[in-house]
Short mmCIF file of all heavy atoms in Angstrom, two decimals:
data_model
loop_
_atom_site.label_atom_id
_atom_site.label_comp_id
_atom_site.label_asym_id
_atom_site.label_seq_id
_atom_site.Cartn_x
_atom_site.Cartn_y
_atom_site.Cartn_z
N MET Z 1 -16.57 21.92 -9.76
CA MET Z 1 -16.24 20.98 -8.72
C MET Z 1 -16.99 21.40 -7.46
O MET Z 1 -17.10 22.59 -7.16
CB MET Z 1 -14.73 20.96 -8.47
CG MET Z 1 -14.34 20.04 -7.38
SD MET Z 1 -12.58 19.71 -7.11
CE MET Z 1 -11.69 21.05 -7.74
N LYS Z 2 -17.47 20.41 -6.73
CA LYS Z 2 -18.16 20.66 -5.47
C LYS Z 2 -17.51 19.79 -4.39
O LYS Z 2 -17.11 18.67 -4.66
CB LYS Z 2 -19.63 20.28 -5.59
CG LYS Z 2 -20.41 21.10 -6.58
CD LYS Z 2 -21.83 20.59 -6.67
CE LYS Z 2 -22.57 21.30 -7.78
NZ LYS Z 2 -23.91 20.77 -7.97
N ALA Z 3 -17.42 20.34 -3.21
CA ALA Z 3 -16.88 19.58 -2.08
C ALA Z 3 -17.78 19.78 -0.87
O ALA Z 3 -18.35 20.85 -0.68
CB ALA Z 3 -15.46 20.04 -1.77
N GLN Z 4 -17.87 18.71 -0.10
CA GLN Z 4 -18.71 18.75 1.10
C GLN Z 4 -17.98 17.95 2.18
O GLN Z 4 -17.36 16.92 1.90
CB GLN Z 4 -20.04 18.11 0.78
CG GLN Z 4 -21.01 18.07 1.91
CD GLN Z 4 -22.33 17.44 1.47
OE1 GLN Z 4 -22.63 17.35 0.28
NE2 GLN Z 4 -23.11 16.99 2.43
N PHE Z 5 -18.05 18.43 3.41
CA PHE Z 5 -17.44 17.72 4.54
C PHE Z 5 -18.54 17.36 5.52
O PHE Z 5 -19.30 18.22 5.97
CB PHE Z 5 -16.40 18.60 5.23
CG PHE Z 5 -15.68 17.90 6.34
CD1 PHE Z 5 -14.68 16.99 6.07
CD2 PHE Z 5 -16.03 18.13 7.66
CE1 PHE Z 5 -14.01 16.34 7.10
CE2 PHE Z 5 -15.38 17.47 8.69
CZ PHE Z 5 -14.36 16.58 8.41
N ALA Z 6 -18.67 16.09 5.80
CA ALA Z 6 -19.67 15.62 6.76
C ALA Z 6 -19.17 14.36 7.44
O ALA Z 6 -18.61 13.47 6.79
CB ALA Z 6 -21.00 15.35 6.05
N GLU Z 7 -19.36 14.27 8.73
CA GLU Z 7 -19.02 13.09 9.51
C GLU Z 7 -17.57 12.63 9.30
O GLU Z 7 -17.27 11.46 9.16
CB GLU Z 7 -19.99 11.96 9.21
CG GLU Z 7 -21.42 12.30 9.55
CD GLU Z 7 -22.39 11.18 9.23
OE1 GLU Z 7 -21.98 10.01 9.22
OE2 GLU Z 7 -23.57 11.50 9.00
N GLY Z 8 -16.65 13.60 9.23
CA GLY Z 8 -15.23 13.28 9.14
C GLY Z 8 -14.73 12.90 7.76
O GLY Z 8 -13.58 12.50 7.62
N GLU Z 9 -15.57 13.03 6.73
CA GLU Z 9 -15.15 12.68 5.37
C GLU Z 9 -15.50 13.79 4.39
O GLU Z 9 -16.51 14.48 4.55
CB GLU Z 9 -15.85 11.40 4.90
CG GLU Z 9 -15.38 10.15 5.58
CD GLU Z 9 -15.97 8.90 4.94
OE1 GLU Z 9 -16.98 9.01 4.20
OE2 GLU Z 9 -15.43 7.82 5.19
N TYR Z 10 -14.66 13.91 3.38
CA TYR Z 10 -14.94 14.82 2.28
C TYR Z 10 -15.61 14.04 1.16
O TYR Z 10 -15.24 12.92 0.87
CB TYR Z 10 -13.65 15.44 1.72
CG TYR Z 10 -13.07 16.49 2.62
CD1 TYR Z 10 -12.09 16.16 3.54
CD2 TYR Z 10 -13.50 17.80 2.53
CE1 TYR Z 10 -11.55 17.12 4.37
CE2 TYR Z 10 -12.96 18.77 3.36
CZ TYR Z 10 -11.98 18.44 4.27
OH TYR Z 10 -11.45 19.39 5.09
N THR Z 11 -16.58 14.67 0.53
CA THR Z 11 -17.19 14.14 -0.68
C THR Z 11 -16.94 15.19 -1.76
O THR Z 11 -17.34 16.35 -1.60
CB THR Z 11 -18.70 13.92 -0.52
OG1 THR Z 11 -18.90 13.01 0.56
CG2 THR Z 11 -19.30 13.35 -1.78
N VAL Z 12 -16.24 14.79 -2.81
CA VAL Z 12 -15.90 15.71 -3.89
C VAL Z 12 -16.55 15.22 -5.17
O VAL Z 12 -16.43 14.05 -5.53
CB VAL Z 12 -14.36 15.80 -4.07
CG1 VAL Z 12 -14.01 16.75 -5.20
CG2 VAL Z 12 -13.70 16.23 -2.77
N THR Z 13 -17.23 16.13 -5.84
CA THR Z 13 -17.84 15.84 -7.12
C THR Z 13 -17.15 16.73 -8.15
O THR Z 13 -17.07 17.95 -7.95
CB THR Z 13 -19.35 16.14 -7.09
OG1 THR Z 13 -19.93 15.39 -6.02
CG2 THR Z 13 -20.01 15.76 -8.40
N MET Z 14 -16.64 16.12 -9.22
CA MET Z 14 -15.95 16.91 -10.23
C MET Z 14 -16.18 16.30 -11.60
O MET Z 14 -16.54 15.13 -11.72
CB MET Z 14 -14.46 16.99 -9.93
CG MET Z 14 -13.72 15.67 -10.00
SD MET Z 14 -11.99 15.76 -9.54
CE MET Z 14 -12.12 15.91 -7.78
N ASP Z 15 -15.95 17.11 -12.62
CA ASP Z 15 -16.05 16.58 -13.96
C ASP Z 15 -14.70 15.99 -14.38
O ASP Z 15 -13.70 16.11 -13.67
CB ASP Z 15 -16.56 17.63 -14.96
CG ASP Z 15 -15.63 18.82 -15.11
OD1 ASP Z 15 -14.42 18.72 -14.81
OD2 ASP Z 15 -16.11 19.87 -15.56
N ARG Z 16 -14.69 15.33 -15.50
CA ARG Z 16 -13.49 14.65 -15.98
C ARG Z 16 -12.31 15.61 -16.15
O ARG Z 16 -11.18 15.28 -15.81
CB ARG Z 16 -13.80 13.96 -17.31
CG ARG Z 16 -12.65 13.16 -17.86
CD ARG Z 16 -13.01 12.62 -19.27
NE ARG Z 16 -11.92 11.84 -19.78
CZ ARG Z 16 -11.82 10.52 -19.68
NH1 ARG Z 16 -12.76 9.84 -19.08
NH2 ARG Z 16 -10.78 9.89 -20.18
N SER Z 17 -12.58 16.80 -16.63
CA SER Z 17 -11.51 17.79 -16.84
C SER Z 17 -10.81 18.12 -15.53
O SER Z 17 -9.57 18.19 -15.47
CB SER Z 17 -12.10 19.05 -17.48
OG SER Z 17 -11.11 20.03 -17.61
N ASP Z 18 -11.57 18.33 -14.46
CA ASP Z 18 -10.98 18.61 -13.15
C ASP Z 18 -10.15 17.42 -12.67
O ASP Z 18 -9.06 17.59 -12.13
CB ASP Z 18 -12.06 18.91 -12.11
CG ASP Z 18 -12.78 20.22 -12.35
OD1 ASP Z 18 -12.22 21.10 -13.03
OD2 ASP Z 18 -13.91 20.36 -11.84
N LEU Z 19 -10.66 16.22 -12.88
CA LEU Z 19 -9.94 15.02 -12.46
C LEU Z 19 -8.62 14.87 -13.22
O LEU Z 19 -7.59 14.53 -12.63
CB LEU Z 19 -10.82 13.78 -12.64
CG LEU Z 19 -10.26 12.45 -12.13
CD1 LEU Z 19 -9.87 12.53 -10.67
CD2 LEU Z 19 -11.27 11.34 -12.36
N VAL Z 20 -8.63 15.17 -14.51
CA VAL Z 20 -7.40 15.09 -15.31
C VAL Z 20 -6.37 16.09 -14.80
O VAL Z 20 -5.18 15.77 -14.70
CB VAL Z 20 -7.70 15.31 -16.81
CG1 VAL Z 20 -6.42 15.51 -17.61
CG2 VAL Z 20 -8.49 14.13 -17.37
N VAL Z 21 -6.80 17.29 -14.41
CA VAL Z 21 -5.87 18.28 -13.86
C VAL Z 21 -5.24 17.76 -12.57
O VAL Z 21 -4.03 17.86 -12.37
CB VAL Z 21 -6.60 19.63 -13.61
CG1 VAL Z 21 -5.73 20.58 -12.79
CG2 VAL Z 21 -6.99 20.27 -14.93
N ILE Z 22 -6.05 17.20 -11.69
CA ILE Z 22 -5.53 16.67 -10.42
C ILE Z 22 -4.56 15.52 -10.66
O ILE Z 22 -3.48 15.46 -10.06
CB ILE Z 22 -6.69 16.25 -9.50
CG1 ILE Z 22 -7.43 17.51 -9.03
CG2 ILE Z 22 -6.20 15.43 -8.31
CD1 ILE Z 22 -8.72 17.24 -8.33
N ILE Z 23 -4.92 14.61 -11.55
CA ILE Z 23 -4.03 13.49 -11.85
C ILE Z 23 -2.72 13.99 -12.44
O ILE Z 23 -1.64 13.52 -12.05
CB ILE Z 23 -4.71 12.49 -12.80
CG1 ILE Z 23 -5.88 11.80 -12.09
CG2 ILE Z 23 -3.70 11.46 -13.33
CD1 ILE Z 23 -6.80 11.04 -13.03
N SER Z 24 -2.79 14.95 -13.34
CA SER Z 24 -1.57 15.50 -13.94
C SER Z 24 -0.66 16.12 -12.88
O SER Z 24 0.56 15.93 -12.92
CB SER Z 24 -1.94 16.56 -14.99
OG SER Z 24 -2.66 15.97 -16.04
N ALA Z 25 -1.25 16.82 -11.92
CA ALA Z 25 -0.45 17.41 -10.84
C ALA Z 25 0.19 16.33 -9.97
O ALA Z 25 1.35 16.45 -9.57
CB ALA Z 25 -1.34 18.33 -9.99
N LEU Z 26 -0.55 15.26 -9.69
CA LEU Z 26 0.01 14.16 -8.89
C LEU Z 26 1.18 13.49 -9.61
O LEU Z 26 2.20 13.18 -9.00
CB LEU Z 26 -1.08 13.14 -8.56
CG LEU Z 26 -2.17 13.60 -7.61
CD1 LEU Z 26 -3.26 12.54 -7.52
CD2 LEU Z 26 -1.62 13.92 -6.24
N VAL Z 27 1.00 13.25 -10.90
CA VAL Z 27 2.07 12.61 -11.68
C VAL Z 27 3.30 13.50 -11.71
O VAL Z 27 4.43 13.04 -11.53
CB VAL Z 27 1.57 12.27 -13.10
CG1 VAL Z 27 2.72 11.86 -14.00
CG2 VAL Z 27 0.52 11.17 -13.04
N MET Z 28 3.09 14.81 -11.90
CA MET Z 28 4.23 15.73 -11.94
C MET Z 28 4.93 15.77 -10.59
O MET Z 28 6.16 15.77 -10.52
CB MET Z 28 3.79 17.12 -12.35
CG MET Z 28 4.96 18.09 -12.41
SD MET Z 28 4.66 19.56 -13.37
CE MET Z 28 4.38 18.90 -14.97
N LEU Z 29 4.16 15.80 -9.50
CA LEU Z 29 4.76 15.80 -8.17
C LEU Z 29 5.62 14.56 -7.96
O LEU Z 29 6.74 14.64 -7.45
CB LEU Z 29 3.68 15.87 -7.09
CG LEU Z 29 4.17 15.82 -5.64
CD1 LEU Z 29 5.02 17.05 -5.33
CD2 LEU Z 29 2.99 15.72 -4.70
N ASP Z 30 5.12 13.41 -8.39
CA ASP Z 30 5.88 12.16 -8.26
C ASP Z 30 7.19 12.24 -9.02
O ASP Z 30 8.21 11.75 -8.56
CB ASP Z 30 5.03 10.99 -8.76
CG ASP Z 30 5.70 9.65 -8.54
OD1 ASP Z 30 6.32 9.45 -7.47
OD2 ASP Z 30 5.62 8.80 -9.43
N GLU Z 31 7.19 12.89 -10.17
CA GLU Z 31 8.40 13.01 -10.98
C GLU Z 31 9.37 14.04 -10.42
O GLU Z 31 10.58 13.88 -10.52
CB GLU Z 31 8.04 13.37 -12.42
CG GLU Z 31 7.32 12.25 -13.14
CD GLU Z 31 6.83 12.64 -14.53
OE1 GLU Z 31 7.06 13.80 -14.95
OE2 GLU Z 31 6.22 11.79 -15.19
N VAL Z 32 8.85 15.11 -9.82
CA VAL Z 32 9.69 16.20 -9.34
C VAL Z 32 10.36 15.88 -8.01
O VAL Z 32 11.51 16.23 -7.78
CB VAL Z 32 8.86 17.51 -9.24
CG1 VAL Z 32 9.63 18.60 -8.52
CG2 VAL Z 32 8.43 17.97 -10.61
N VAL Z 33 9.64 15.20 -7.12
CA VAL Z 33 10.19 14.88 -5.80
C VAL Z 33 10.90 13.53 -5.90
O VAL Z 33 10.27 12.48 -5.89
CB VAL Z 33 9.07 14.84 -4.73
CG1 VAL Z 33 9.67 14.51 -3.37
CG2 VAL Z 33 8.32 16.16 -4.69
N SER Z 34 12.21 13.58 -6.01
CA SER Z 34 12.97 12.35 -6.26
C SER Z 34 13.19 11.52 -4.99
O SER Z 34 13.35 10.31 -5.06
CB SER Z 34 14.31 12.68 -6.91
OG SER Z 34 15.06 13.53 -6.07
N SER Z 35 13.19 12.15 -3.85
CA SER Z 35 13.43 11.44 -2.60
C SER Z 35 12.13 10.86 -2.05
O SER Z 35 11.13 11.56 -1.89
CB SER Z 35 14.02 12.42 -1.57
OG SER Z 35 13.90 11.91 -0.27
N ASP Z 36 12.14 9.56 -1.75
CA ASP Z 36 10.97 8.91 -1.16
C ASP Z 36 10.62 9.53 0.20
O ASP Z 36 9.45 9.73 0.52
CB ASP Z 36 11.20 7.41 -1.00
CG ASP Z 36 11.25 6.67 -2.33
OD1 ASP Z 36 10.90 7.27 -3.37
OD2 ASP Z 36 11.65 5.50 -2.32
N ALA Z 37 11.65 9.86 0.97
CA ALA Z 37 11.42 10.45 2.30
C ALA Z 37 10.79 11.84 2.16
O ALA Z 37 9.88 12.18 2.92
CB ALA Z 37 12.74 10.54 3.07
N ALA Z 38 11.25 12.61 1.20
CA ALA Z 38 10.68 13.95 1.00
C ALA Z 38 9.23 13.86 0.54
O ALA Z 38 8.38 14.64 0.99
CB ALA Z 38 11.51 14.73 -0.03
N LEU Z 39 8.93 12.91 -0.34
CA LEU Z 39 7.54 12.74 -0.78
C LEU Z 39 6.66 12.36 0.40
O LEU Z 39 5.57 12.90 0.56
CB LEU Z 39 7.45 11.68 -1.88
CG LEU Z 39 6.05 11.48 -2.46
CD1 LEU Z 39 5.62 12.70 -3.27
CD2 LEU Z 39 5.98 10.24 -3.32
N ARG Z 40 7.15 11.46 1.23
CA ARG Z 40 6.36 11.06 2.41
C ARG Z 40 6.13 12.24 3.34
O ARG Z 40 5.03 12.42 3.86
CB ARG Z 40 7.05 9.91 3.14
CG ARG Z 40 6.21 9.39 4.29
CD ARG Z 40 6.89 8.23 5.01
NE ARG Z 40 6.07 7.77 6.09
CZ ARG Z 40 5.25 6.74 6.03
NH1 ARG Z 40 5.17 6.04 4.92
NH2 ARG Z 40 4.53 6.39 7.07
N ASP Z 41 7.16 13.06 3.55
CA ASP Z 41 7.00 14.26 4.39
C ASP Z 41 6.00 15.23 3.77
O ASP Z 41 5.22 15.85 4.48
CB ASP Z 41 8.33 14.98 4.58
CG ASP Z 41 9.27 14.24 5.51
OD1 ASP Z 41 8.81 13.32 6.23
OD2 ASP Z 41 10.47 14.57 5.50
N TYR Z 42 6.01 15.34 2.45
CA TYR Z 42 5.17 16.31 1.76
C TYR Z 42 3.71 15.88 1.71
O TYR Z 42 2.82 16.69 1.94
CB TYR Z 42 5.73 16.52 0.34
CG TYR Z 42 5.11 17.69 -0.38
CD1 TYR Z 42 5.31 18.99 0.05
CD2 TYR Z 42 4.32 17.49 -1.51
CE1 TYR Z 42 4.74 20.07 -0.61
CE2 TYR Z 42 3.75 18.56 -2.18
CZ TYR Z 42 3.96 19.84 -1.72
OH TYR Z 42 3.39 20.88 -2.37
N VAL Z 43 3.44 14.61 1.40
CA VAL Z 43 2.05 14.16 1.21
C VAL Z 43 1.56 13.20 2.29
O VAL Z 43 0.38 12.85 2.31
CB VAL Z 43 1.83 13.53 -0.18
CG1 VAL Z 43 2.12 14.51 -1.27
CG2 VAL Z 43 2.64 12.26 -0.36
N GLY Z 44 2.45 12.74 3.15
CA GLY Z 44 2.03 11.85 4.23
C GLY Z 44 1.77 10.42 3.80
O GLY Z 44 1.08 9.68 4.51
N ARG Z 45 2.29 10.03 2.66
CA ARG Z 45 2.13 8.66 2.16
C ARG Z 45 3.46 8.18 1.58
O ARG Z 45 4.26 8.98 1.11
CB ARG Z 45 1.10 8.60 1.04
CG ARG Z 45 -0.30 8.86 1.50
CD ARG Z 45 -1.27 8.77 0.34
NE ARG Z 45 -2.63 8.99 0.83
CZ ARG Z 45 -3.64 8.22 0.53
NH1 ARG Z 45 -3.48 7.18 -0.26
NH2 ARG Z 45 -4.83 8.47 1.00
N THR Z 46 3.64 6.87 1.58
CA THR Z 46 4.82 6.33 0.91
C THR Z 46 4.64 6.52 -0.60
O THR Z 46 3.52 6.75 -1.08
CB THR Z 46 4.99 4.83 1.20
OG1 THR Z 46 3.88 4.12 0.62
CG2 THR Z 46 5.08 4.54 2.68
N ARG Z 47 5.72 6.39 -1.33
CA ARG Z 47 5.63 6.53 -2.79
C ARG Z 47 4.70 5.47 -3.38
O ARG Z 47 3.90 5.76 -4.26
CB ARG Z 47 7.02 6.45 -3.43
CG ARG Z 47 6.99 6.78 -4.93
CD ARG Z 47 8.35 6.99 -5.52
NE ARG Z 47 9.12 8.04 -4.89
CZ ARG Z 47 9.11 9.33 -5.27
NH1 ARG Z 47 8.36 9.70 -6.27
NH2 ARG Z 47 9.85 10.21 -4.66
N ASP Z 48 4.78 4.24 -2.87
CA ASP Z 48 3.90 3.19 -3.38
C ASP Z 48 2.43 3.52 -3.12
O ASP Z 48 1.58 3.34 -4.00
CB ASP Z 48 4.25 1.83 -2.77
CG ASP Z 48 5.53 1.25 -3.33
OD1 ASP Z 48 5.97 1.68 -4.43
OD2 ASP Z 48 6.10 0.36 -2.68
N ASP Z 49 2.11 4.00 -1.92
CA ASP Z 49 0.73 4.39 -1.61
C ASP Z 49 0.29 5.55 -2.49
O ASP Z 49 -0.85 5.60 -2.97
CB ASP Z 49 0.58 4.79 -0.14
CG ASP Z 49 0.61 3.61 0.80
OD1 ASP Z 49 0.45 2.45 0.33
OD2 ASP Z 49 0.83 3.83 2.01
N PHE Z 50 1.19 6.49 -2.69
CA PHE Z 50 0.91 7.66 -3.53
C PHE Z 50 0.61 7.22 -4.97
O PHE Z 50 -0.36 7.68 -5.59
CB PHE Z 50 2.11 8.61 -3.49
CG PHE Z 50 1.93 9.89 -4.23
CD1 PHE Z 50 1.15 10.90 -3.69
CD2 PHE Z 50 2.55 10.10 -5.45
CE1 PHE Z 50 0.99 12.11 -4.37
CE2 PHE Z 50 2.39 11.29 -6.13
CZ PHE Z 50 1.61 12.30 -5.59
N LYS Z 51 1.42 6.28 -5.49
CA LYS Z 51 1.19 5.79 -6.85
C LYS Z 51 -0.11 4.99 -6.95
O LYS Z 51 -0.82 5.08 -7.95
CB LYS Z 51 2.38 4.94 -7.31
CG LYS Z 51 3.59 5.78 -7.64
CD LYS Z 51 4.74 4.95 -8.16
CE LYS Z 51 5.90 5.84 -8.53
NZ LYS Z 51 7.02 5.11 -9.10
N ARG Z 52 -0.44 4.22 -5.91
CA ARG Z 52 -1.71 3.49 -5.90
C ARG Z 52 -2.90 4.44 -5.95
O ARG Z 52 -3.87 4.22 -6.68
CB ARG Z 52 -1.81 2.58 -4.69
CG ARG Z 52 -1.22 1.21 -4.90
CD ARG Z 52 -1.62 0.25 -3.79
NE ARG Z 52 -0.95 0.51 -2.52
CZ ARG Z 52 0.28 0.13 -2.22
NH1 ARG Z 52 0.99 -0.53 -3.10
NH2 ARG Z 52 0.79 0.41 -1.05
N LEU Z 53 -2.82 5.51 -5.18
CA LEU Z 53 -3.88 6.51 -5.19
C LEU Z 53 -4.01 7.14 -6.59
O LEU Z 53 -5.11 7.27 -7.12
CB LEU Z 53 -3.60 7.61 -4.16
CG LEU Z 53 -4.53 8.81 -4.20
CD1 LEU Z 53 -5.95 8.42 -3.80
CD2 LEU Z 53 -4.01 9.93 -3.31
N THR Z 54 -2.89 7.50 -7.17
CA THR Z 54 -2.90 8.08 -8.52
C THR Z 54 -3.49 7.10 -9.52
O THR Z 54 -4.33 7.47 -10.34
CB THR Z 54 -1.48 8.51 -8.93
OG1 THR Z 54 -0.95 9.42 -7.96
CG2 THR Z 54 -1.48 9.18 -10.30
N ASP Z 55 -3.08 5.84 -9.45
CA ASP Z 55 -3.61 4.82 -10.36
C ASP Z 55 -5.11 4.64 -10.18
O ASP Z 55 -5.84 4.44 -11.16
CB ASP Z 55 -2.90 3.48 -10.15
CG ASP Z 55 -1.46 3.49 -10.63
OD1 ASP Z 55 -1.08 4.40 -11.39
OD2 ASP Z 55 -0.70 2.57 -10.23
N GLU Z 56 -5.58 4.71 -8.94
CA GLU Z 56 -7.01 4.58 -8.69
C GLU Z 56 -7.78 5.74 -9.33
O GLU Z 56 -8.83 5.55 -9.95
CB GLU Z 56 -7.27 4.52 -7.19
CG GLU Z 56 -8.69 4.20 -6.83
CD GLU Z 56 -8.88 3.97 -5.33
OE1 GLU Z 56 -7.89 3.78 -4.60
OE2 GLU Z 56 -10.04 4.01 -4.91
N LEU Z 57 -7.24 6.95 -9.21
CA LEU Z 57 -7.89 8.11 -9.83
C LEU Z 57 -7.89 7.99 -11.36
O LEU Z 57 -8.87 8.34 -12.01
CB LEU Z 57 -7.20 9.40 -9.39
CG LEU Z 57 -7.38 9.78 -7.92
CD1 LEU Z 57 -6.50 10.96 -7.56
CD2 LEU Z 57 -8.83 10.06 -7.61
N VAL Z 58 -6.80 7.49 -11.92
CA VAL Z 58 -6.75 7.27 -13.37
C VAL Z 58 -7.83 6.27 -13.77
O VAL Z 58 -8.52 6.46 -14.77
CB VAL Z 58 -5.35 6.78 -13.82
CG1 VAL Z 58 -5.37 6.27 -15.25
CG2 VAL Z 58 -4.32 7.89 -13.66
N GLY Z 59 -8.02 5.23 -12.98
CA GLY Z 59 -9.07 4.26 -13.26
C GLY Z 59 -10.45 4.90 -13.26
O GLY Z 59 -11.28 4.61 -14.13
N PHE Z 60 -10.69 5.79 -12.29
CA PHE Z 60 -11.98 6.50 -12.27
C PHE Z 60 -12.16 7.33 -13.53
O PHE Z 60 -13.24 7.37 -14.11
CB PHE Z 60 -12.08 7.43 -11.06
CG PHE Z 60 -12.08 6.76 -9.73
CD1 PHE Z 60 -11.60 7.42 -8.61
CD2 PHE Z 60 -12.57 5.46 -9.56
CE1 PHE Z 60 -11.60 6.81 -7.37
CE2 PHE Z 60 -12.57 4.85 -8.33
CZ PHE Z 60 -12.09 5.54 -7.22
N CYS Z 61 -11.09 7.96 -13.94
CA CYS Z 61 -11.16 8.83 -15.12
C CYS Z 61 -11.47 8.02 -16.37
O CYS Z 61 -12.19 8.48 -17.25
CB CYS Z 61 -9.83 9.57 -15.28
SG CYS Z 61 -9.88 10.92 -16.44
N ARG Z 62 -10.97 6.82 -16.43
CA ARG Z 62 -11.18 5.99 -17.62
C ARG Z 62 -12.58 5.38 -17.68
O ARG Z 62 -12.95 4.79 -18.68
CB ARG Z 62 -10.12 4.89 -17.68
CG ARG Z 62 -8.77 5.47 -18.03
CD ARG Z 62 -7.73 4.39 -18.21
NE ARG Z 62 -6.50 4.99 -18.70
CZ ARG Z 62 -5.30 4.58 -18.40
NH1 ARG Z 62 -5.15 3.53 -17.62
NH2 ARG Z 62 -4.23 5.18 -18.89
N LEU Z 63 -13.38 5.54 -16.63
CA LEU Z 63 -14.74 5.03 -16.63
C LEU Z 63 -15.64 5.83 -17.58
O LEU Z 63 -16.62 5.31 -18.10
CB LEU Z 63 -15.35 5.09 -15.22
CG LEU Z 63 -14.72 4.16 -14.19
CD1 LEU Z 63 -15.32 4.42 -12.82
CD2 LEU Z 63 -14.90 2.70 -14.58
N GLU Z 64 -15.30 7.09 -17.78
CA GLU Z 64 -16.08 7.96 -18.67
C GLU Z 64 -15.48 7.90 -20.07
O GLU Z 64 -14.27 7.79 -20.22
CB GLU Z 64 -16.01 9.40 -18.15
CG GLU Z 64 -16.83 10.38 -18.96
CD GLU Z 64 -16.68 11.79 -18.42
OE1 GLU Z 64 -16.43 11.96 -17.22
OE2 GLU Z 64 -16.80 12.72 -19.22
N PRO Z 65 -16.31 7.96 -21.10
CA PRO Z 65 -15.76 7.96 -22.47
C PRO Z 65 -14.71 9.06 -22.64
O PRO Z 65 -14.87 10.17 -22.13
CB PRO Z 65 -16.98 8.24 -23.34
CG PRO Z 65 -18.14 7.81 -22.53
CD PRO Z 65 -17.76 8.06 -21.09
N ARG Z 66 -13.65 8.72 -23.32
CA ARG Z 66 -12.53 9.65 -23.46
C ARG Z 66 -12.84 10.77 -24.44
O ARG Z 66 -13.69 10.64 -25.30
CB ARG Z 66 -11.27 8.92 -23.89
CG ARG Z 66 -11.33 8.37 -25.30
CD ARG Z 66 -10.08 7.52 -25.56
NE ARG Z 66 -10.00 7.21 -26.97
CZ ARG Z 66 -9.03 7.61 -27.75
NH1 ARG Z 66 -8.02 8.30 -27.26
NH2 ARG Z 66 -9.02 7.30 -29.02
N GLN Z 67 -12.09 11.85 -24.26
CA GLN Z 67 -12.13 12.98 -25.16
C GLN Z 67 -10.70 13.17 -25.65
O GLN Z 67 -9.94 13.93 -25.07
CB GLN Z 67 -12.65 14.22 -24.45
CG GLN Z 67 -14.04 14.04 -23.89
CD GLN Z 67 -14.43 15.16 -22.95
OE1 GLN Z 67 -13.67 16.07 -22.69
NE2 GLN Z 67 -15.63 15.09 -22.44
N PRO Z 68 -10.30 12.47 -26.71
CA PRO Z 68 -8.89 12.41 -27.10
C PRO Z 68 -8.24 13.76 -27.37
O PRO Z 68 -7.04 13.92 -27.17
CB PRO Z 68 -8.88 11.55 -28.35
CG PRO Z 68 -10.28 11.45 -28.79
CD PRO Z 68 -11.16 11.75 -27.62
N GLU Z 69 -8.99 14.75 -27.77
CA GLU Z 69 -8.37 16.04 -28.08
C GLU Z 69 -7.89 16.77 -26.83
O GLU Z 69 -7.05 17.65 -26.92
CB GLU Z 69 -9.33 16.93 -28.87
CG GLU Z 69 -10.56 17.39 -28.12
CD GLU Z 69 -11.69 16.36 -28.07
OE1 GLU Z 69 -11.57 15.27 -28.64
OE2 GLU Z 69 -12.70 16.66 -27.41
N ILE Z 70 -8.41 16.41 -25.64
CA ILE Z 70 -7.99 17.10 -24.42
C ILE Z 70 -7.55 16.17 -23.30
O ILE Z 70 -7.20 16.62 -22.24
CB ILE Z 70 -9.13 18.00 -23.88
CG1 ILE Z 70 -10.34 17.17 -23.49
CG2 ILE Z 70 -9.48 19.11 -24.85
CD1 ILE Z 70 -11.39 17.92 -22.71
N ASP Z 71 -7.57 14.87 -23.53
CA ASP Z 71 -7.37 13.92 -22.46
C ASP Z 71 -6.08 13.13 -22.60
O ASP Z 71 -6.02 12.15 -23.32
CB ASP Z 71 -8.56 12.97 -22.40
CG ASP Z 71 -8.54 12.08 -21.17
OD1 ASP Z 71 -7.54 12.11 -20.43
OD2 ASP Z 71 -9.52 11.37 -20.96
N PRO Z 72 -5.02 13.55 -21.90
CA PRO Z 72 -3.75 12.85 -22.00
C PRO Z 72 -3.78 11.47 -21.34
O PRO Z 72 -2.86 10.67 -21.53
CB PRO Z 72 -2.76 13.77 -21.29
CG PRO Z 72 -3.59 14.53 -20.32
CD PRO Z 72 -4.95 14.69 -20.99
N LEU Z 73 -4.82 11.16 -20.57
CA LEU Z 73 -4.89 9.88 -19.87
C LEU Z 73 -5.69 8.84 -20.64
O LEU Z 73 -5.82 7.71 -20.20
CB LEU Z 73 -5.51 10.06 -18.49
CG LEU Z 73 -4.75 10.99 -17.55
CD1 LEU Z 73 -5.54 11.23 -16.30
CD2 LEU Z 73 -3.39 10.42 -17.23
N ALA Z 74 -6.23 9.24 -21.75
CA ALA Z 74 -7.06 8.31 -22.53
C ALA Z 74 -6.20 7.16 -23.06
O ALA Z 74 -5.07 7.37 -23.46
CB ALA Z 74 -7.73 9.04 -23.68
N GLU Z 75 -6.77 5.96 -23.01
CA GLU Z 75 -6.06 4.81 -23.57
C GLU Z 75 -6.14 4.88 -25.08
O GLU Z 75 -7.19 5.20 -25.65
CB GLU Z 75 -6.69 3.52 -23.07
CG GLU Z 75 -6.46 3.31 -21.60
CD GLU Z 75 -7.02 1.98 -21.12
OE1 GLU Z 75 -7.53 1.20 -21.94
OE2 GLU Z 75 -6.93 1.73 -19.92
N HIS Z 76 -5.04 4.61 -25.72
CA HIS Z 76 -5.01 4.68 -27.20
C HIS Z 76 -5.04 3.30 -27.80
O HIS Z 76 -4.58 2.37 -27.32
CB HIS Z 76 -3.78 5.43 -27.67
CG HIS Z 76 -3.72 6.82 -27.13
ND1 HIS Z 76 -4.54 7.83 -27.59
CD2 HIS Z 76 -2.99 7.36 -26.13
CE1 HIS Z 76 -4.27 8.94 -26.92
NE2 HIS Z 76 -3.34 8.67 -26.02
#
């Protein structure tokens, strides 16, 4: 994974495996933090915004051909 900060924005380049790890952590966080207010305090977004972000990342992950033996996000 590579990250760069320029002009107030981060640019992150990662492989599918790294993206799956990040998505898995986001999904687990959503399940573990039951209070909407606590989630907002923790990540600075509403639960709906947080889920939209997670869904967008899942969509990016699905752009690459799946690797079913290691990819829990692959469509079956």
